[in-house]
Amino acid sequence: MNVKRILVVDDDGDSRQEVGNILKSNGYHIDYAKDSISAEKQLQNKNYDLVFVDNYMPDFTNTQSMEAGIRLLKEIKKINPHLPVIIITVYDSLKLTADAIKAGANDYIMKETYSEKELLDKTYELIFRQPLKKEIIRYFEINNETDEYELFRHIQSKFKILMPDFNDTLRELITEKRILRDDNYRIRKYGQKS
C-alpha cells in the first residue's frame, strides 16, 4: 500500500509536531506548514490525502485570526474539493464546528483534549474508510447485484485492503441501509430489485 501523505497546518510548533509525530509513528508521511500562506503553497505543489488545519492561526494577511482555519479550508476546497480536512480547535464552540462543517470540513478535534486513538481513528476513517464506501456504492451504479467475493476482489484490486476491513465496511453500509446482503451472500444496492 502506498504511504499516505498528510499536511498538518498549525502556527504552534509543539502542537504541530505532536499531531505529526503520532501520525508519522503510524506510517503516514507528514508535511508541516505554520500558516495559511505556506500551507497553500504546499497544497499547490504536492498531493495530499488529508489536511489538519488549526482554526486559530495567522491568515493570508498574516493576522492572527479566529477564522483563519475556515478561510484556509475554503481555499483548500478550491484547490481540491475532494481533499478531506480535519479542523483542530481549542474552542469547544458549536458555532465554530457548524461553520467549519458548512465550509467543507470533514471532522474536527479539540486541541487540548484529543486522544491518540481519536486522532488515528478519524484519520483512518477519512483516508481509507470513506473512499472504500464510495467505491462500493459506485460499483453498484454499474452492477445491479454481485456476490460478496466478486465485490471483494474488485475492491481489493483498487485498495489493497484485507478482508476484515472490507467486512467492517460492508457491515457499516448494511447498517446505514445503503446496501443489502441476502443469505446467499449476494449483495445489491438498497432499493434495487434482485
Side-chain angles (χ1 to χ4, degrees), residues 2-9 23 28-53 72 76-77 79-86 106 123 126-128 131:
N2 62 339
V3 176
K4 300 298 184 181
R5 182 181 292 270
I6 299 172
L7 178 62
V8 179
V9 186
L23 295 168
Y28 298 103
H29 178 88
I30 308 302
D31 289 334
Y32 300 98
K34 63 180 179 167
D35 56 35
S36 298
I37 296 168
S38 58
E40 187 176 31
K41 285 179 187 169
Q42 289 188 52
L43 287 159
Q44 290 172 342
N45 294 317
K46 295 180 183 174
N47 291 321
Y48 290 98
D49 298 291
L50 177 64
V51 181
F52 283 86
V53 175
L72 176 58
I76 291 169
K77 294 300 178 175
I79 294 167
N80 182 349
H82 304 291
L83 181 59
V85 177
I86 295 176
N106 299 83
T123 299
L126 291 173
I127 289 181
F128 295 105

Side-chain angles (χ1 to χ4, degrees), residues 131-170:
L132 180 58
K133 284 181 178 181
K134 286 178 184 171
E135 180 58 28
I136 290 172
I137 296 301
R138 190 196 70 70
Y139 182 85
F140 286 110
E141 290 170 1
I142 298 165
N143 306 286
N144 289 335
E145 185 177 63
T146 189
D147 67 48
E148 196 167 321
Y149 182 70
E150 201 176 301
L151 177 61
F152 175 68
R153 280 196 344 231
H154 168 77
I155 294 299
Q156 192 178 40
S157 72
K158 291 187 169 269
F159 288 90
K160 310 293 185 249
I161 64 164
L162 300 174
M163 188 58 113
D165 286 331
F166 174 75
N167 285 336
D168 289 347
T169 305
L170 274 185

Side-chain angles (χ1 to χ4, degrees), residues 87-92 108-114 118:
I87 292 288
I88 305 169
T89 181
V90 292
Y91 302 100
D92 189 7
Y108 75 99
I109 59 171
M110 295 296 299
K111 193 178 241 183
E112 304 297 322
T113 61
Y114 73 86
E118 178 187 17

Side-chain angles (χ1 to χ4, degrees), residues 38-74:
S38 58
E40 187 176 31
K41 285 179 187 169
Q42 289 188 52
L43 287 159
Q44 290 172 342
N45 294 317
K46 295 180 183 174
N47 291 321
Y48 290 98
D49 298 291
L50 177 64
V51 181
F52 283 86
V53 175
D54 181 28
N55 193 56
Y56 186 70
M57 64 178 180
D59 65 10
F60 292 102
T61 62
N62 215 14
T63 306
Q64 196 80 5
S65 166
M66 186 66 143
E67 290 82 32
I70 303 289
R71 282 198 283 277
L72 176 58
L73 171 61
K74 289 176 181 176

Side-chain angles (χ1 to χ4, degrees), residues 160-185:
K160 310 293 185 249
I161 64 164
L162 300 174
M163 188 58 113
D165 286 331
F166 174 75
N167 285 336
D168 289 347
T169 305
L170 274 185
R171 271 193 295 279
E172 278 184 37
L173 289 169
I174 290 167
T175 302
E176 294 169 5
K177 295 191 175 193
R178 297 182 69 192
I179 63 171
L180 297 171
R181 176 173 48 194
D182 66 21
D183 294 335
N184 297 321
Y185 297 97

